[in-house]
């Protein structure tokens, strides 16, 4: 199944620097940070942190990576308000386990607990 590209005009505005604490889920905590800072639409600018364990989706595959101490190498994605007004995250990235094996995909909701902390920079996107 191929996805079609969509283009949207808008502008970048406010920046929120966020710290997510241990054992919070990556996806739901980033969504909560957007709500806390009043961001209806945002993009991930940068992130540094680690996970206890990780679960990614890559196409039809589910990749489970046992920790502890999974390093987040890259994290990108966007957050958008759905029809119900709730912010929903689509976060993707690459991670490395303790044996330096690298994995990539979409982070599954509720299955990626933060290990020590995650430092995150979000930037508001305001559609035209």
């Amino acid at each position: 199944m191929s996805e079609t590209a969509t283009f949207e005009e808008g502008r970048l505005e406010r920046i929120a620097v966020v710290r997510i604490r241990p054992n919070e889920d990556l996806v739901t905590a980033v969504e909560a940070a957007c709500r806390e800072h009043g961001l209806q639409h945002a993009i991930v600018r940068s992130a540094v942190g680690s996970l206890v364990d990780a679960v990614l989706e890559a196409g039809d595959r589910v990749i489970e990576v046992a920790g502890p101490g999974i390093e987040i190498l890259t994290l990108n994605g966007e957050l958008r308000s759905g029809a119900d007004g709730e912010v929903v995250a689509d976060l993707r990235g690459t991670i490395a386990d303790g044996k330096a094996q690298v994995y990539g995909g979409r982070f599954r909701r509720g299955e990626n607990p933060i290990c020590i902390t995650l430092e995150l920079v979000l930037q508001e996107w305001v559609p035209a």
Side-chain angles (χ1 to χ4, degrees):
M1 176 179 187
S2 69
E3 295 182 32
T4 58
T6 59
F7 296 90
E8 178 180 70
E9 289 188 40
R11 65 188 184 285
L12 294 168
E13 292 215 351
R14 300 177 296 155
I15 289 180
V17 178
V18 177
R19 173 176 286 155
I20 299 175
R21 305 227 179 261
N23 298 314
E24 292 187 54
D25 175 62
L26 170 66
V27 176
T28 57
V30 172
E31 291 169 345
C34 277
R35 285 191 301 275
E36 180 181 329
H37 293 283
L39 305 176
Q40 293 298 306
H41 303 290
I43 59 171
V44 176
R45 280 292 191 194
S46 67
V48 167
S50 59
L51 301 168
V52 175
D53 298 301
V55 180
L56 304 172
E57 297 173 347
D60 293 337
R61 292 184 16 231
V62 173
I63 303 165
E64 296 182 21
V65 183
I70 306 297
E71 289 298 320
I72 298 173
L73 303 175
T74 64
L75 177 62
N76 60 63
E78 67 178 338
L79 297 101
R80 291 193 165 265
S81 293
D84 60 0
E86 286 297 313
V87 175
V88 177
D90 180 12
L91 303 177
R92 301 162 191 259
T94 55
I95 58 173
D97 65 14
K99 297 177 184 173
Q101 294 292 310
V102 176
Y103 307 88
R106 176 183 290 169
F107 291 95
R108 279 184 104 171
R109 173 184 305 283
E111 298 187 53
N112 292 282
I114 301 301
C115 188
I116 305 300
T117 61
L118 175 72
E119 309 297 334
L120 178 72
V121 178
L122 299 170
Q123 188 163 18
E124 182 176 36
W125 171 254
V126 179

